[in-house]
Amino acid sequence: MIDVDLVQRLKVGGTFLIELYKVGVGCMLTLFVPQACGDEICTFRQNYEKTAGYNRTALITNGLSLLMFVVSYGVELRRENWAIHYLDVDYDKPDNSLKEIIRGEPELDKKMDRLNKIYYYTLLATSGVYVVNLGLMGKILYDDYHSMSTVSCTASFALLVLMKLYNSLCVARVSIKQDEMRSAFLKEFTSFNVLDVDYVKQKYGTESRSESGVALEDVSVDIPEAKP
């Protein structure tokens, strides 16, 4: 039988790699946006070797913005891994059912709240740096404009990053406001709404629902004695 946690981790990993590529291009705009070198488009190396003070400042800001995204992804993946390990998804239950269930697990409840807040504030800081990054690109677009591809590529790359930030901020804000654990990677922003089967079996010695008929959401109310 395929382990559900492994499937979820594979989905998260695949989505992460795709997003990391998009974010990398969207942050390093001074390198990937077509710019004018005389009558031709600059190569990647020519973009990198531009020595004007402003260009170097913009490139450094690009790198700082990418670094902030790496930090954000680190927090995001840690949060997602914790949720996959301790929580689970039951499509027969409403998304907000975890709020009542997790009250019986004070340690998990506190950890979830802490992870959600760290995630949210990290995203806010990353968003601020990226806005500055976009602002600095304005002068480069004006000075090194080559064609409409200069503007269209900048807009396309920036939009990919802004959509990522918007979606992640929505996930973080809703998770804090509604006291739940929304997934930032799984399809349709899946909300972990019950305790994980493996976690319950390890802590309480209960069997799976299919074998015992015990609903996991009831564990926090009537906790059976652990098997010796």
Side-chain angles (χ1 to χ4, degrees):
M1 186 176 180
I2 300 177
D3 184 74
V4 176
D5 288 357
L6 177 60
V7 173
Q8 290 176 340
R9 286 190 172 94
L10 289 175
K11 289 181 179 179
V12 169
T15 304
F16 164 70
L17 292 177
I18 295 174
E19 287 189 359
L20 186 60
Y21 169 76
K22 294 178 180 179
V23 166
V25 174
C27 286
M28 306 302 295
L29 294 171
T30 55
L31 298 180
F32 292 102
V33 169
Q35 300 170 45
C37 284
D39 295 330
E40 298 182 356
I41 295 179
C42 299
T43 63
F44 182 89
R45 183 172 181 176
Q46 286 174 321
N47 283 339
Y48 177 76
E49 291 178 346
K50 288 183 178 179
T51 57
Y54 189 88
N55 291 75
R56 280 296 161 187
T57 300
L59 181 59
I60 292 173
T61 307
N62 286 178
L64 178 59
S65 182
L66 181 58
L67 178 61
M68 288 299 300
F69 268 100
V70 171
V71 173
S72 295
Y73 272 121
V75 173
E76 195 170 60
L77 289 173
R78 181 176 175 230
R79 173 182 178 272
E80 205 78 15
N81 185 65
W82 180 88
I84 291 174
H85 182 74
Y86 290 102
L87 307 175
D88 217 333
V89 180
D90 187 344
Y91 294 104
D92 294 328
K93 302 294 179 183
D95 288 346
N96 61 357
S97 62
L98 180 64
K99 184 185 301 186
E100 298 297 327
I101 299 171
I102 207 168
R103 288 178 180 175
E105 300 284 341
E107 292 185 6
L108 293 184
D109 193 12
K110 290 180 180 179
K111 183 67 173 180
M112 183 181 75
D113 291 342
R114 185 162 59 251
L115 287 174
N116 282 336
K117 289 179 180 178
I118 293 174
Y119 181 45
Y120 180 65
Y121 290 119
T122 302
L123 287 172
L124 287 180
T126 302
S127 300
V129 174
Y130 190 69
V131 169
V132 174
N133 190 20
L134 288 181
L136 291 177
M137 280 301 298
K139 187 175 185 299
I140 293 179
L141 293 179
Y142 179 79
D143 292 342
D144 299 327
Y145 176 86
H146 178 271
S147 61
M148 276 304 298
S149 62
T150 303
V151 177
S152 62
C153 286
T154 302
S156 298
F157 295 156
L159 185 60
L160 293 174
V161 178
L162 291 173
M163 286 299 297
K164 163 61 183 174
L165 284 172
Y166 174 77
N167 290 333
S168 295
L169 282 169
C170 286
V171 168
R173 186 170 59 251
V174 171
S175 295
I176 292 175
K177 185 177 181 180
Q178 299 185 11
D179 194 21
E180 59 186 35
M181 181 61 79
R182 289 281 180 101
S183 172
F185 288 102
L186 300 182
K187 188 177 181 181
E188 297 179 354
F189 300 137
T190 301
S191 178
F192 295 95
N193 56 0
V194 295
L195 297 177
D196 186 83
V197 174
D198 296 331
Y199 169 75
V200 173
K201 289 169 67 176
Q202 180 182 6
K203 183 170 183 178
Y204 301 112
T206 59
E207 298 177 346
S208 64
R209 282 178 289 183
S210 60
E211 296 174 343
S212 65
V214 178
L216 291 181
E217 62 271 19
D218 295 331
V219 171
S220 61
V221 180
D222 297 316
I223 301 176
E225 295 184 359
K227 293 181 181 179

